[in-house]
């Protein structure tokens, strides 16, 4: 759903990391692009305006623009603000009462019945014993649909005769849950084509009768801005506790999904990501923001990287790069750092020119080659570590023997290091041109 938006934002933000220094004008240019990207994705106009203003205000602060990784920091701010935007409201999922009652409400075809089944499955996995209740007195087919889903999941479904008032169905469901030892009742209510007073009154009565601890509005994310209006109408008519955004696997532009919480104040609690009953995700705004910005878990990696590479070490390395004095000792140290940081290939991929080297080093760490590399380097003299060019055949044999490895192992390491050195040289000159955000 967010592919186009994601692509545009990534491109824009990549422009910020591609330079050493970031000026206020750079931020403004990027923010104009971000604004356009969000508007084109159909995000609510006012939401976009506030969002861009907030990011800009935080980003042009002196401490940020003067820092050497300003581009990264601006992206971090975008990520944080996007997370705040997506995550408006209290997302706690409350299951109180015995049994706890969850009511799913919404327009016709929004995905209530499917979501009821998905939620039931999700709760079973959390060790709960849900009972599905077909609280749709109008359409026998709706009842059949829920029964079929219940059967496929091996979760019981409570039904009442056709025409039973919703309130009575709900009460019957709660009684049945108590009788059969089910701890959660999931009410699948009837949909309507449009918002009408009868529907709202029906759900309000139901809320009074069985007191749901969660009343979730199921919203089809494919319908665009209209979904925001629907959510506002429901919110005004009854106490909603959250939203289930369905069909986010679709190809709509996604803007409505992005703005709905921030406009209505009702938090998104779940995402429906497909037709199958396992296609339900607990909503994590930071993860969605990360996904949209194409970062995966990169931001937490950035933080981890900043923790594990302490600044003075990093400054020393940058200095060595500048002077082309990167030695085998440094190589070893870098690999140890990588090991400390965990999987970083993704992170380093973001840094132009760094991906290849990172992958290689990470690959070596993953393959458990670090200890071998360490042994080989430790068997070298200081002179050899500084200048592997002096490693002739007899020295290499001595090192292989000394480290308990083989001659091909030593050769491979020397070759790898040579390639890395070459890369480092290129990086060094890129850095002098101000192109490397991380080599501070
Ligand atoms: N791709 C996709 N399809 C979904 C999702 N959720 C529901 N659907 C589909 O949307 C259609 C309607 O879903 P239902 O669960 O029957 O919707 P409803 O709100 O119960 O509909 P009514 O009871 O008629 O008001 C079905 O074809 C579902 O398979 C989703 O997250 N992704
Ligand atoms: Mg239904």
């Amino acid at each position: 759903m967010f592919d186009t938006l994601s692509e545009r934002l990534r491109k824009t933000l990549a422009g910020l990391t591609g330079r050493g220094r970031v000026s206020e004008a750079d931020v403004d240019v990027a923010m104009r692009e971000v604004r356009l990207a969000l508007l084109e994705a159909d995000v609510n106009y006012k939401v976009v305006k506030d969002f861009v203003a907030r990011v800009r205000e935080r980003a042009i602060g002196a401490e940020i623009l003067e820092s050497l990784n300003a581009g990264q920091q601006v992206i971090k701010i975008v990520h944080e603000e996007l997370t705040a935007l997506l995550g408006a409201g209290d997302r706690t999922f409350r299951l109180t009462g015995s049994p706890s009652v969850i009511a799913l409400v919404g327009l016709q075809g929004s995905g209530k019945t499917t979501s009821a089944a998905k939620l039931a499955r999700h709760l079973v996995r959390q060790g709960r014993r849900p009972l599905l209740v077909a609280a749709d007195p109008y359409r026998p087919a709706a009842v059949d649909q829920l029964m079929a889903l219940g059967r496929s999941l091996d979760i019981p479904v409570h039904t009442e005769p056709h025409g039973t008032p919703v309130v009575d169905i709900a009460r019957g469901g709660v009684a049945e849950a108590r009788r059969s030892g089910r701890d959660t009742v999931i009410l699948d209510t009837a949909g309507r084509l449009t918002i009408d007073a009868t529907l709202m009154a029906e759900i309000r009565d139901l809320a009074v009768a069985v007191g749901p601890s969660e009343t979730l509005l199921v919203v089809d994310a494919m319908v665009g801005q209209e979904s925001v209006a629907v959510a506002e109408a429901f919110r005004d008519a009854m106490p909603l506790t959250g939203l289930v955004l369905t069909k986010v696997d679709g190809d709509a532009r996604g803007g409505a999904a992005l703005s709905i919480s921030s406009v209505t104040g009702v938090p998104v609690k779940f995402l429906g990501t497909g037709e199958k009953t396992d296609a339900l995700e607990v909503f994590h705004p930071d993860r969605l923001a990360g996904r949209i910005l194409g970062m995966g878990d990169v931001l937490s990696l950035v933080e981890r990287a900043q923790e594990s590479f302490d600044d003075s070490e990093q400054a020393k390395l940058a200095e060595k790069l500048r002077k082309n004095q990167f030695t085998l000792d440094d190589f070893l140290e870098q690999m140890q750092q990588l090991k400390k940081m965990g999987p970083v290939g993704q992170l380093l991929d973001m840094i132009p020119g760094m991906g290849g080297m990172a992958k290689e080093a990470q690959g070596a760490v993953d393959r458990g080659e670090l200890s071998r590399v360490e042994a080989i380097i430790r068997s070298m003299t200081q002179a050899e570590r500084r200048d592997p060019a002096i490693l002739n055949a007899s020295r290499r044999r001595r090192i292989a023997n000394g480290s308990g490895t083989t001659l091909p192992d030593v050769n491979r390491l020397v070759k790898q290091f040579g390639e890395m050195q070459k890369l480092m040289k290129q990086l060094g000159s890129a850095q002098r041109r101000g192109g490397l955000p991380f080599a501070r």
Side-chain angles (χ1 to χ4, degrees):
M1 170 161 277
F2 305 105
D3 285 356
T4 313
L5 171 66
S6 177
E7 208 169 292
R8 281 198 64 167
L9 287 180
R10 281 187 225 191
K11 267 198 204 119
T12 302
L13 298 174
L16 281 179
T17 49
R19 58 184 91 227
R21 291 266 173 196
V22 175
S23 69
E24 198 171 322
D26 295 332
V27 172
D28 282 337
V29 169
M31 286 310 114
R32 259 199 299 281
E33 286 290 317
V34 168
R35 185 174 161 275
L36 279 176
L38 291 172
L39 285 175
E40 268 169 36
D42 198 29
V43 180
N44 177 287
Y45 173 78
K46 200 178 164 309
V47 170
V48 174
K49 197 169 146 226
D50 292 348
F51 175 80
V52 170
R54 263 197 314 276
V55 173
R56 185 178 184 281
E57 190 187 312
R58 288 183 59 192
I60 58 170
E63 330 69 277
I64 291 192
L65 290 186
E66 276 162 24
S67 72
L68 288 162
N69 61 350
Q72 287 296 329
Q73 294 207 38
V74 173
I75 291 172
K76 194 154 172 269
I77 292 170
V78 172
H79 179 266
E80 283 167 7
E81 290 296 336
L82 192 55
T83 304
L85 179 82
L86 295 169
D90 175 10
R91 264 176 302 107
T92 320
F93 191 58
R94 286 193 181 77
L95 292 178
T96 52
S98 61
S100 322
V101 178
I102 304 170
L104 294 177
V105 302
L107 292 187
Q108 208 164 79
S110 58
K112 292 177 297 299
T113 305
T114 312
S115 298
K118 289 175 176 179
L119 207 51
R121 182 183 186 274
H122 171 77
L123 292 174
V124 165
R125 304 194 128 220
Q126 306 215 312
R128 298 191 71 97
R129 294 164 49 76
L131 173 69
L132 286 162
V133 176
D136 183 337
Y138 313 106
R139 282 195 314 129
V143 177
D144 294 343
Q145 185 193 357
L146 191 67
M147 282 175 61
L149 286 165
R151 253 197 313 277
S152 75
L153 293 170
D154 209 14
I155 293 171
V157 177
H158 176 76
T159 61
E160 301 267 348
H162 183 60
T164 309
V166 178
V167 168
D168 293 342
I169 302 178
R171 285 207 182 103
V174 168
E176 171 59 26
R178 291 211 178 102
R179 206 167 25 242
S180 56
R182 312 302 293 187
D183 57 16
T184 316
V185 167
I186 303 176
L187 299 173
D188 174 29
T189 67
R192 295 291 160 90
L193 270 178
T194 52
I195 299 149
D196 65 55
T198 329
L199 168 78
M200 300 296 180
E202 195 174 281
I203 299 165
R204 268 199 304 266
D205 290 348
L206 181 144
V208 172
V210 296
S213 62
E214 288 284 348
T215 304
L216 302 174
L217 175 65
V218 179
V219 176
D220 179 343
M222 295 285 282
V223 305
Q225 286 304 318
E226 181 57 23
S227 67
V228 180
V230 168
E232 282 182 309
F234 272 88
R235 174 203 62 192
D236 293 343
M238 66 189 68
L240 289 182
T241 57
L243 302 169
V244 180
L245 269 185
T246 61
K247 310 181 196 180
V248 295
D249 52 312
D251 57 4
R253 290 175 294 169
L258 296 185
S259 22
I260 195 162
S261 271
S262 128
V263 173
T264 62
V266 184
V268 176
K269 292 192 174 173
F270 296 95
L271 296 180
T273 57
E275 297 191 29
K276 299 228 174 71
T277 49
D278 60 355
L280 183 79
E281 286 180 19
V282 174
F283 180 58
H284 294 290
D286 52 335
R287 288 192 205 159
L288 180 57
R291 224 189 288 167
I292 290 171
L293 297 176
M295 303 175 148
D297 274 339
V298 163
L299 286 155
S300 50
L301 283 171
V302 168
E303 276 155 18
R304 210 158 2 132
Q306 280 169 348
E307 278 163 24
S308 45
F309 279 102
D310 75 71
D311 277 359
S312 58
E313 282 302 311
Q314 202 58 15
K316 253 192 283 176
L317 180 67
E319 184 63 18
K320 280 179 177 162
L321 276 175
R322 215 168 353 257
K323 296 185 177 158
N324 291 330
Q325 286 174 344
F326 189 75
T327 67
L328 273 163
D329 277 325
D330 301 320
F331 177 66
L332 183 59
E333 204 173 301
Q334 287 297 300
M335 286 193 54
Q336 282 162 341
Q337 291 275 20
L338 281 176
K339 194 176 168 194
K340 204 159 69 182
M341 285 163 61
V344 287
Q346 211 187 349
L347 163 66
L348 291 155
D349 261 353
M350 290 192 12
I351 307 170
M354 200 87 162
M357 179 195 87
K359 274 212 194 82
E360 198 156 307
Q362 185 65 46
V365 172
D366 290 344
R367 289 191 302 272
E369 281 172 19
L370 183 59
S371 49
R372 189 158 16 140
V373 168
E374 200 171 339
I376 293 174
I377 294 178
R378 300 233 182 278
S379 298
M380 294 179 182
T381 65
Q382 281 303 325
E384 288 165 347
R385 292 183 205 186
R386 265 195 308 276
D387 183 15
I390 64 175
L391 287 170
N392 59 19
S394 74
R395 282 177 188 256
R396 289 180 192 216
R397 252 194 309 279
R398 190 207 77 235
I399 292 164
N401 284 336
S403 59
T405 60
T406 64
L407 192 55
D409 286 336
V410 177
N411 288 341
R412 197 169 335 115
L413 174 66
V414 172
K415 185 158 169 269
Q416 254 180 13
F417 177 71
E419 277 159 15
M420 187 172 286
Q421 228 174 4
K422 234 186 289 166
L423 223 129
M424 284 296 187
K425 263 180 209 155
Q426 290 164 10
L427 285 177
S429 55
Q431 192 208 1
R432 276 191 297 281
R433 293 194 308 271
L436 259 188
F438 272 104
R440 297 187 262 172

